[in-house]
Amino acid sequence: MQKVGLLAGDGRLPTLLSEHVSFHHIVDLAHWPLPLGALDALVEALQGQGCDAVILAGGVDRGRFRALDAGGQWVAARAGADAGDGRLLDAFVAYFESQGLAVVGATDLVPSLRTPVGLLTRGGTTLDPSAGLARARALGRKDLGQGVVQCGERLWLEETAAGTNDLLSRAGDAGIGPRTLFKAAKPQQDLRIDMPAWGLETVLHAAKNDVQTLVFEAEKTLALDFEQAIAQAETLGLTIMGAQG
C-alpha cells in the first residue's frame, strides 16, 4: 500500500482531501521555510517520513519558485524559459517521479470530487455548451488559462494568470449580458495535477458579477463542497451544468 504525502497549497482542496484521506505526511507549503525551488529538500522531507507517493493540491505562488537547488534547476531546464503553469507543473511531476515518488491525483483518492454530468441545479436550460467549452479548451491548449465567459452574443473574455475570480469580475464590469462561464481542463494537461476546480466561492463570485450560468467540464473538473455550492446556486438563481463534448 502506498504511503502518500500531501504537498498542501492554498485553497479549499487540501482541507477537503485531509477530511477524506489519512495522509502519511503533510507538508503545509504556507509554512514551508524554504523557496519552492529547493525541490531536493521537499523530496527529502517526504521520503524521510517514509512516503513513496505524493499528491500536489492547492494553489501556490509561482514567484516562490526561486533559489533553485539541483532539483529546481532540473525542473527549470525541463520546463523551459517560457513555460506556462502547465509545463512547469509537468516538470515538477517528472522530477518527483524521477526521484521515486509516484504522483497521484485528488480524484484518484476521492473520486466523488469529479464534477458529474448533467444539469446540476433545478430547472431546465436550452444552452448548448459545446462552443464555450471548445473556446475554453483552445485557451488551455495555449497554457494561458482554463475558462472563458460569454457576455451577450459576441463578447468573449478569457481567463489569465489572475484566475477565475478575476475573469468573473471583468465579466461583471463589461456590463453586457447574459453572461455564461465555461471552464474546462487543458487538453494536454495531466489530470493528476492542476485540475480546474470550482465551488462555493465560485458560485458567490459569479452571482456578485451577474454571471448566471456556469458550465464545467464533467469528470475533468473538481467540484469542491458540491452540495453546499449547488444549494447556494439554487438560492441565488444560478444554473450549473456539468457537460462533456
Side-chain angles (χ1 to χ4, degrees):
M1 185 175 181
Q2 285 182 321
K3 297 179 179 179
V4 183
L6 170 65
L7 292 183
D10 300 329
R12 180 73 175 127
L13 181 58
T15 301
L16 276 177
L17 288 172
S18 296
E19 291 172 357
H20 289 85
V21 178
S22 295
F23 288 103
H24 192 71
H25 183 61
I26 297 175
V27 176
D28 182 354
L29 293 177
H31 298 99
W32 177 246
L34 300 174
L36 291 182
L39 283 187
D40 288 340
L42 270 177
V43 169
E44 182 178 347
L46 292 165
Q47 293 181 332
Q49 294 296 322
C51 296
D52 56 15
V54 62
I55 181 169
L56 290 71
V60 177
D61 179 6
R62 181 169 173 163
R64 292 185 64 190
F65 185 60
R66 54 183 173 78
L68 309 183
D69 62 12
Q73 292 172 22
W74 190 98
V75 166
R78 185 180 180 99
D82 61 344
D85 289 345
R87 278 170 51 194
L88 186 60
L89 284 169
D90 285 344
F92 267 83
V93 168
Y95 180 71
F96 285 126
E97 291 179 334
S98 76
Q99 299 303 302
L101 285 168
V103 176
V104 298
T107 58
D108 295 328
L109 301 179
V110 188
S112 61
L113 287 173
R114 292 181 183 269
T115 302
V117 178
L119 185 61
L120 306 179
T121 48
R122 290 191 297 265
T125 179
T126 59
L127 174 69
D128 179 354
S130 56
L133 287 178
R135 280 182 176 263
R137 292 189 190 106
L139 180 67
R141 197 171 286 112
K142 301 174 186 176
D143 202 11
L144 298 175
Q146 299 168 316
V148 297
V149 171
Q150 182 179 16
C151 303
E153 292 294 325
R154 298 182 180 179
L155 178 62
W156 291 86
L157 303 177
E158 297 181 341
E159 186 180 40
T160 67
T164 302
N165 285 350
D166 172 76
L167 172 63
L168 293 170
S169 295
R170 286 187 283 121
D173 291 340
I176 301 172
R179 305 174 183 92
T180 301
L181 169 70
F182 299 88
K183 199 164 180 69
K186 298 173 183 177
Q188 74 279 13
Q189 92 183 79
D190 185 337
L191 292 180
R192 294 174 297 173
I193 54 169
D194 196 32
M195 188 183 289
W198 64 277
L200 184 58
E201 181 183 358
T202 313
V203 168
L204 294 173
H205 213 76
K208 178 182 177 181
N209 289 284
D210 295 321
V211 179
Q212 294 297 313
T213 304
L214 310 177
V215 179
F216 302 104
E217 185 173 16
E219 303 296 332
K220 294 185 178 181
T221 56
L222 296 172
L224 310 182
D225 296 310
F226 177 77
E227 292 182 0
Q228 298 94 318
I230 294 300
Q232 187 66 66
E234 291 180 338
T235 297
L236 295 170
L238 272 62
T239 298
I240 300 183
M241 177 188 296
Q244 294 176 318

